[in-house]
């Protein structure tokens, strides 16, 4: 629900930004268009140049405004210089190229409103492609596809406004509509076809959504080092990235690397980061064995062994038969009706050691005293050893001497 509401907010923000950019871009180029009309008949080349200039200014305005909306969305404050730097030139070039192509096709075939809509689709596709290089993890296909659909939808409204309103007013409204739909459809394409994302929930109730991909999404207090700035934390505190089908989180404060699945959360400063994915596997079973056997096994016998699981709020003694319930580890759900999410038994691999069997519906990550990290999948068993740290979803525990 939070993701959907955040995506709607993001789409509207991008749409409004794009509409303002299209309106302003056309407003700037209107004097040139009036001059072209007063100059009488123009050659094919002059017509192509004129349209390229028009599309270029409109495209530059839309791209700059959408980048402005993007920066405001993720940082919560205006970034005008960055918006011009990362949107203006790329939008200008993409718009000019698409405008020249569109006018060449349009002039070559002759007046055709359907063709004009197709041309706006080409323009939107090139703008989306250009923006995909500036918006992390948007992706070329999603950028081009979303921009193309937005250009077609906006182009239909452009023609409607051109016929129902006066020339200048119609073009202003039409270019605003094109920018609006390009901005909207970029977010729609990103949301529908991304595989993994982060929902960032701030303590003041604001939610933002970002796509995870090959490009890292960074968090920190330094605006130059981090995509998401959070006050009162390290300059570069945490990084999320999609690697080989797994969502990887690197904590720069303690050097820990964790592999996350849908629903996992990280608390950082004044926000909570929730991971979501559509169809990603929990882990690559070809690389990670289903059962974690510690390299540093327990040395004490079953009779004399004294271990405990230290959680943030309690310490639970561990012995053969000890059961951990979902009330002990609220981030886990039992696969059975009795609420048991883990049980202590004798290790089948090392008879004189204790094991903690995973009876929950999700995998755990365990790091032994040597720093080796392994996955404990449901029905897998972890050999209990002092110093082993376990991530039970959002709850962390550690094996200590009893």
């Amino acid at each position: 629900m939070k993701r959907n509401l955040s995506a709607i907010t993001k789409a509207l923000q991008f749409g409004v930004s794009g509409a303002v950019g299209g309106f302003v871009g056309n407003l700037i180029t209107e004097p040139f268009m009036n001059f072209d009309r007063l100059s009488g008949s123009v050659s094919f080349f002059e017509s192509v140049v004129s349209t390229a200039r028009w599309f270029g200014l409109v495209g530059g305005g839309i791209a700059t405004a959408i980048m402005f909306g993007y920066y405001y969305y993720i940082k919560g404050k205006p970034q005008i210089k960055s918006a011009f730097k990362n949107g203006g030139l790329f939008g200008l070039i993409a718009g000019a190229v698409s405008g020249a192509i569109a006018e060449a096709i349009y002039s070559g075939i002759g007046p055709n409103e359907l063709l004009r809509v197709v041309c706006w689709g080409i323009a939107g596709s090139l703008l989306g492609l250009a923006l995909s290089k500036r918006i992390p993890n948007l992706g070329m296909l999603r950028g081009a596809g979303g921009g193309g659909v937005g250009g077609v939808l906006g182009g239909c409204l452009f023609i409607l406004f051109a016929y129902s309103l006066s020339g200048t007013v119609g073009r202003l409204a039409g270019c605003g509509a094109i920018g609006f739909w390009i901005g909207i459809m970029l977010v729609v394409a990103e949301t529908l076809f991304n595989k993994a994302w982060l929902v960032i929930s701030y303590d003041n109730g604001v939610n933002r959504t970002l796509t995870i991909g090959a490009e890292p999404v960074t968090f920190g207090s330094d605006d130059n080092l981090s995509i998401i700035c959070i006050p009162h934390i390290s300059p570069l505190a945490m990084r999320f990235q999609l690697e080989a089908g797994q969502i990887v989180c690197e904590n720069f404060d303690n050097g820990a690397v964790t592999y996350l699945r849908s629903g996992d959360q990280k608390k950082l400063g004044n926000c909570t980061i929730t991971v979501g994915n559509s169809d990603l596997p929990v882990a690559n079973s070809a690389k990670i064995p289903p059962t974690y056997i510690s390299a540093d096994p327990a040395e004490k016998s079953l009779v004399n062994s004294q271990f405990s699981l230290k959680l943030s709020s309690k310490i639970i003694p561990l012995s053969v038969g000890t059961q951990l319930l979902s009330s002990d580890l609220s981030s886990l759900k039992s696969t059975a009706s009795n609420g048991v999410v883990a049980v202590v038994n004798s290790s089948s691999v090392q008879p004189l050691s204790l094991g903690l069997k995973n009876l929950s519906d999700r995998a755990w990550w365990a790091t032994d005293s040597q720093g080796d990290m392994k996955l404990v999948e449901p029905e897998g068993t972890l050999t209990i050893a002092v110093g082993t740290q376990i991530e039970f979803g959002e709850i962390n525990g550690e094996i200590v001497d009893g």
Side-chain angles (χ1 to χ4, degrees):
M1 178 63 72
K2 285 184 178 180
R3 182 207 179 197
N4 294 334
L5 292 175
S6 180
I8 292 173
T9 301
K10 185 177 182 180
L12 289 175
Q13 194 160 323
F14 276 42
V16 171
S17 298
V20 172
F23 182 92
V24 172
N26 188 81
L27 189 63
I28 294 173
T29 196
E30 272 299 312
F32 296 104
M33 299 187 69
N34 290 330
F35 175 80
D36 291 338
R37 285 194 296 272
L38 291 173
S39 63
S41 60
V42 294
S43 66
F44 174 81
F45 176 76
E46 289 172 330
S47 179
V48 169
V49 170
S50 176
T51 304
R53 180 177 59 213
W54 176 40
F55 269 48
L57 289 172
V58 171
I62 292 174
T64 300
I66 288 178
M67 287 305 302
F68 178 89
Y70 166 74
Y71 286 125
Y72 192 82
Y73 176 79
I74 64 172
K75 296 183 181 295
K77 57 183 178 180
Q79 301 277 307
I80 299 176
K81 183 178 179 180
S82 297
F84 271 108
K85 178 182 177 182
N86 294 316
L89 180 61
F90 288 91
L92 183 67
I93 294 174
V97 170
S98 60
I101 294 173
E103 182 61 29
I105 296 173
Y106 191 78
S107 298
I109 297 178
N112 184 306
E113 299 304 340
L114 178 60
L115 181 59
R116 181 181 291 184
V117 171
V118 172
C119 291
W120 278 118
I122 295 172
S125 183
L126 289 178
L127 280 176
L129 187 63
L131 289 170
S132 72
K133 299 295 184 180
R134 292 305 179 198
I135 299 178
N137 299 312
L138 173 60
M140 295 174 62
L141 289 177
R142 289 195 293 266
V149 173
V152 168
L153 293 175
C156 291
L157 288 176
F158 182 93
I159 294 173
L160 176 63
F161 293 144
Y163 279 104
S164 59
L165 302 172
S166 64
T168 298
V169 175
R171 283 190 296 273
L172 289 170
C175 289
I178 288 169
F180 177 81
W181 280 109
I182 289 176
I184 288 281
M185 293 310 300
L186 285 177
V187 178
V188 170
E190 178 189 46
T191 303
L192 288 179
F193 299 107
N194 63 358
K195 290 183 176 295
W197 58 88
L198 301 175
V199 177
I200 306 161
S201 303
Y202 291 86
D203 292 343
N204 61 4
V206 174
N207 296 306
R208 295 190 175 103
T209 302
L210 288 179
T211 297
I212 313 174
E215 297 179 62
V217 177
T218 52
F219 293 77
S221 59
D222 191 326
D223 208 17
N224 296 318
L225 298 176
S226 306
I227 292 177
I228 300 295
C229 283
I230 302 173
H232 312 305
I233 62 173
S234 301
L236 182 59
M238 199 170 287
R239 177 174 67 188
F240 293 82
Q241 195 168 6
L242 192 60
E243 295 180 355
Q246 298 183 58
I247 302 170
V248 183
C249 173
E250 183 175 359
N251 188 322
F252 291 100
D253 290 332
N254 56 22
V257 176
T258 54
Y259 295 81
L260 308 175
R261 59 181 289 181
S262 186
D264 286 344
Q265 293 183 328
K266 296 288 184 180
K267 180 68 177 177
L268 193 59
N270 64 345
C271 71
T272 300
I273 306 164
T274 304
V275 174
N277 66 51
S278 54
D279 57 359
L280 293 174
V282 175
N284 189 335
S285 59
K287 295 182 179 180
I288 303 176
T291 302
Y292 166 39
I293 304 300
S294 173
D296 184 21
E299 298 178 354
K300 301 179 182 180
S301 68
L302 287 177
V303 176
N304 298 319
S305 62
Q306 296 291 325
F307 297 105
S308 294
L309 175 64
K310 181 180 179 181
L311 303 173
S312 59
S313 59
K314 66 178 79 172
I315 294 179
I316 303 174
L318 302 178
S319 59
V320 174
T322 298
Q323 295 180 338
L324 303 179
L325 306 177
S326 55
S327 57
D328 300 312
L329 300 167
S330 58
S331 59
L332 302 180
K333 292 183 179 179
S334 175
T335 56
S337 58
N338 57 8
V340 178
V341 294
V343 63
V344 179
N345 54 25
S346 59
S347 173
S348 60
V349 177
Q350 297 173 341
L352 297 181
S353 298
L354 295 178
L356 187 63
K357 186 173 182 179
N358 183 357
L359 298 179
S360 71
D361 65 339
R362 67 189 301 177
W364 313 334
W365 281 98
T367 305
D368 66 17
S369 59
Q370 306 301 314
D372 294 328
M373 182 187 303
K374 300 293 182 181
L375 183 71
V376 187
E377 292 184 345
E379 298 300 321
T381 300
L382 163 69
T383 299
I384 296 176
V386 173
T388 299
Q389 298 182 357
I390 312 170
E391 288 190 20
F392 302 103
E394 296 81 50
I395 296 178
N396 295 326
E398 181 181 1
I399 303 297
V400 297
D401 282 320

